[in-house]
Amino acid sequence: MTRQTYFIADLHLSENRPDITAAFFKFLHSHIAPQKVDALYILGDFFEVWVGDDYVSELSAAVAEQLKAVNNLGIPIYFVHGNRDFIMREKYANMAGMTLLDEQTVIDLYGTPTVILHGDEMCTQDIEYQKFRQKSRGWWWPKLMLAMPLWYRKKIARNAREKSKQSQAGKALEILDVTEDAVLAMFEKHQVTNMIHGQTHRPNVHHYKQNGKTLTRTVLGDWYEQGSYLRATPEQQKLVHTPFK
């Protein structure tokens, strides 16, 4: 049987979108659990919002149960934080059978060194967001947030989502996308020729030429209207979109 590894991102799981949760569970049951899968990588924004591991909702408990069942089959699951779930910690990761990775991690993908990340740090034209990102990824901000009462964190999360929606509505799509300079700098930083990320909701495969090398950047799709994943084998990488029904 062909060896294969799967990558997903930007599911934005929430109680308001049970269709996405159902599609994700179907994906696990049809593509991951019954096959010879080397690994599943979740590259951020898995949940619409994450207020702390101390809050286990009916949704997050069900998701953890499904993931743990897959992991118990011997399939490793890796998680890279996104901008929605960057304060997820080991408690929930252990509950779901996931291993947390650094926000930028280089893996050996069937002989090809590949950097995987959520990708929001490459959206450098969005100055307002980058300022928030720098603060929120610091050592003190997450600790301060997690020290606050749960009800207050929920309130902050609701307000932050509304503010984010309003902010994005007034920005050109180019500002919300990655910049080529940031992309090439990421390739150079990690000395790789292959990159996989999410964040922009613009699934595609991009190619660049740098120092005589061909660089490949694969952007994962979101799950708002359909399932979306990257299936990698020793021979190829293929973006796949599947309808919810």
Side-chain angles (χ1 to χ4, degrees):
M1 186 176 292
T2 302
R3 297 181 63 191
Q4 52 195 332
T5 297
Y6 285 85
F7 299 82
I8 58 174
D10 299 294
L11 280 75
H12 298 268
L13 297 173
S14 74
E15 287 80 0
N16 297 330
R17 290 293 306 269
D19 54 334
I20 298 179
T21 303
F24 174 59
F25 290 170
K26 181 180 179 180
F27 164 75
L28 290 180
H29 297 158
S30 60
H31 293 283
I32 308 300
Q35 302 187 49
K36 173 59 179 176
V37 174
D38 291 324
L40 169 64
Y41 289 87
I42 304 172
L43 304 189
D45 282 7
F46 187 38
F47 288 92
E48 174 69 9
V49 66
W50 194 261
V51 296
D53 288 13
D54 56 335
Y55 175 60
V56 180
S57 65
E58 183 177 341
L59 170 63
S60 64
V63 170
E65 182 180 10
Q66 293 287 328
L67 287 173
K68 186 66 173 178
V70 168
N71 182 245
N72 286 341
L73 295 175
I75 299 171
I77 303 172
Y78 300 100
F79 185 88
V80 173
H81 292 98
N83 50 295
R84 306 289 184 94
D85 41 33
F86 61 88
I87 58 173
M88 184 184 290
R89 296 293 183 262
E90 293 287 350
K91 182 179 179 181
Y92 184 77
N94 292 336
M95 180 179 172
M98 300 189 299
T99 299
L100 299 181
L101 299 179
D102 291 339
E103 290 188 343
Q104 298 169 15
T105 295
V106 175
I107 64 172
D108 182 350
L109 187 59
Y110 303 119
T112 300
T114 301
V115 60
I116 58 173
L117 63 163
H118 182 59
D120 53 322
E121 62 265 60
M122 296 188 296
C123 300
T124 54
Q125 290 188 93
D126 193 345
I127 305 299
E128 179 185 12
Y129 170 72
Q130 291 301 326
K131 288 180 179 179
F132 170 74
R133 189 183 193 282
Q134 184 176 12
K135 176 183 71 174
S136 62
R137 299 306 198 277
W139 67 270
W140 64 271
W141 197 90
K143 286 188 176 182
L144 177 62
M145 289 296 104
L146 292 173
M148 292 181 177
L150 181 58
W151 68 265
Y152 189 68
R153 277 179 271 150
K154 289 182 179 180
K155 180 180 179 181
I156 290 177
R158 286 194 299 270
N159 293 341
R161 289 309 311 135
E162 287 304 315
K163 182 178 179 181
S164 176
K165 289 178 183 178
Q166 294 171 9
S167 175
Q168 290 186 16
K171 294 175 181 176
L173 291 177
E174 291 73 17
I175 293 178
L176 301 175
D177 202 354
V178 300
T179 64
E180 184 169 316
D181 286 348
V183 167
L184 295 178
M186 190 67 68
F187 277 116
E188 182 68 21
K189 175 183 177 181
H190 295 286
Q191 291 295 294
V192 298
T193 58
N194 197 39
M195 180 190 302
I196 302 169
H197 71 85
Q199 166 65 17
T200 66
H201 301 192
R202 297 181 176 187
N204 206 344
V205 179
H206 304 267
H207 299 287
Y208 309 86
K209 289 289 187 179
Q210 187 178 53
N211 299 326
K213 297 180 180 179
T214 298
L215 312 177
T216 302
R217 175 173 68 94
T218 302
V219 187
L220 304 173
D222 63 64
W223 285 56
Y224 287 151
E225 304 298 334
Q226 73 281 305
S228 182
Y229 59 85
L230 174 68
R231 178 178 179 265
T233 68
E235 292 77 31
Q236 66 173 351
Q237 297 179 33
K238 183 178 181 181
L239 276 172
V240 181
H241 306 291
T242 57
F244 280 170
K245 295 183 180 180

